[in-house]
Amino acid sequence: MDKREESEVINGGRDVKNVDRCDACNGALTAGLETWHFVCGTCGLEHSTLQPQINEIESIDEAEREKALKPIRVHNFGVLLDWLRGRTARPAQAGAKPRLLDVGCAHGWFLEQAAAHYDVLGLEPDAAIAKRALARHLPVRNGYFPQALQAQEQFDVIVFNDVLEHIPGVTNILKECAARLPADGVVVVNAPDSRGFFYRLSRVFTRAGRQASFERMWQVGMPSPHLYYFNTKSMHRIAAASGFKVVAERALPSIVAKGLYDRINYAGNVSKLRSAVMTAGILALLPFMKLLPSDITVWVLAKQAD
Ligand SMILES: [Zn+2]
């Protein structure tokens, strides 16, 4: 398959530059805050026309990124797994663990944590990152969902950790998930939430002419920018359009104290002193921030009965 054919498969055959109808509810999209940003007037799903360039532009410094993101990710994966296990527990069937697919597993941190309770497999489209996970003997395949799967491969749980918002054609992807799940299987979507405090703050800044934080929220200029910004209303529409229903949701913290300095220092081209001052300020505000709407939500989608 040449690169263009592969891209068409990944994009569900849709030209991502021509966005006028909502991918969730087919409602009309209206212009958003930047030329590439569109919002559905019906369900509130936010879309972008930013172009994914995985394996085309050089990955950013992975070691720095890993250091910056690992504490929050590992913390949230632990919370997510504890919560999820109660929803996917099965009667002990000859000791078999439920099968879990982690789409876009990156370094495999979630796989490592989930392996105690699930029979895990990860897919990672970035060849360099997949190679590193494989070098650590993690069960990872390089490729996209569902192309990298074998014809009959089935799972009990399919997880998208900060991934579904990066893949074009969200309802088509979820229909592919439905085909890979039994009647009681679930999809777990862990993603940024447009109701989050920091996202809304970035919108206010953009309206005031300062786009940097909004563009960082959408990961403009990264190999795989965000194509969607979900919230619970749009997630219900996405689920309904692809044969699922939302059966549970919970917020996850977007900031934890551990690793905060590295994350700030990494994220914004700021000096060490400024990073330290910002870290101290945020640590002081952290107890209050827990009262604000979270920027990360996990939705559990169960298959609708036929
Ligand atoms: Zn919509």
Side-chain angles (χ1 to χ4, degrees):
M1 197 159 38
D2 73 20
K3 206 138 205 162
R4 189 183 309 140
E5 278 174 38
E6 189 176 31
S7 158
E8 277 173 9
V9 170
I10 295 158
N11 294 347
R14 170 173 151 267
D15 181 352
V16 291
K17 281 181 182 161
N18 291 326
V19 178
D20 56 0
R21 309 302 296 185
C22 174
D23 285 351
C25 73
N26 209 37
L29 295 180
T30 54
L33 296 179
E34 300 214 44
T35 53
W36 46 263
H37 178 233
F38 298 86
V39 182
C40 174
T42 306
C43 76
L45 180 62
E46 299 187 25
H47 300 59
S48 86
T49 54
L50 301 166
Q51 296 290 309
Q53 293 176 297
I54 295 175
N55 296 325
E56 286 171 30
I57 54 180
E58 199 62 40
S59 296
I60 41 163
D61 188 331
E62 274 303 322
E64 283 300 304
R65 183 172 154 83
E66 191 161 345
K67 193 175 164 195
L69 288 175
K70 191 163 187 179
I72 180 81
R73 292 270 165 91
V74 167
H75 173 271
N76 281 351
F77 289 159
V79 174
L80 170 57
L81 269 172
D82 285 346
W83 182 69
L84 186 61
R85 279 174 55 209
R87 278 161 179 77
T88 53
R90 324 195 107 194
Q93 295 158 330
K97 295 175 186 169
R99 288 210 75 197
L100 182 147
L101 177 69
D102 184 3
V103 180
C105 64
H107 306 284
W109 300 332
F110 185 75
L111 293 178
E112 283 176 310
Q113 284 177 261
H117 311 286
Y118 296 95
D119 178 10
V120 297
L121 173 68
L123 302 181
E124 174 49 48
D126 186 310
I129 295 177
K131 201 172 160 191
R132 287 175 49 157
L134 274 169
R136 288 163 53 227
H137 307 291
L138 292 169
V140 172
R141 268 182 228 160
N142 178 215
Y144 288 92
F145 174 85
Q147 291 86 351
L149 296 177
Q150 289 152 18
Q152 301 306 323
E153 265 182 310
Q154 294 279 313
F155 303 89
D156 299 296
V157 184
I158 300 179
V159 181
F160 294 86
N161 280 315
D162 285 311
V163 166
L164 195 61
E165 68 276 19
H166 296 270
I167 310 178
V170 60
T171 53
N172 288 338
I173 290 294
L174 288 178
K175 285 175 189 168
E176 296 283 358
C177 291
R180 300 281 178 170
L181 291 168
D184 63 349
V186 295
V187 171
V188 179
V189 180
N190 171 5
D193 190 321
S194 61
R195 298 167 301 178
F197 173 74
F198 289 104
Y199 185 65
R200 287 198 268 191
L201 193 62
S202 79
R203 293 180 58 114
V204 172
F205 282 138
T206 300
R207 288 206 174 87
R210 302 189 62 138
Q211 293 92 340
S213 58
F214 187 70
E215 290 179 354
R216 201 156 58 233
M217 291 284 182
W218 282 91
Q219 301 187 359
V220 174
M222 304 276 275
S224 182
H226 290 175
L227 305 181
Y228 303 105
Y229 235 100
F230 305 120
N231 60 33
T232 292
K233 187 178 178 188
S234 61
M235 190 55 69
H236 276 270
R237 297 301 291 259
I238 291 165
S242 40
F244 288 91
K245 59 178 187 279
V246 178
V247 292
E249 73 168 272
R250 66 158 294 154
L252 288 174
S254 41
I255 294 180
V256 291
K258 194 178 172 212
L260 185 60
Y261 172 81
D262 288 326
R263 199 163 165 216
I264 289 172
N265 197 35
Y266 166 75
N269 289 328
V270 287
S271 71
K272 285 195 157 58
L273 176 65
R274 199 157 166 223
S275 296
V277 171
M278 283 172 71
T279 304
I282 293 174
L283 282 176
L285 290 172
L286 209 51
F288 304 100
M289 284 181 177
K290 286 180 179 156
L291 305 173
L292 300 170
S294 175
D295 278 73
I296 306 176
T297 298
V298 182
W299 294 275
V300 177
L301 282 55
K303 275 172 93 166
Q304 281 175 359
D306 291 326

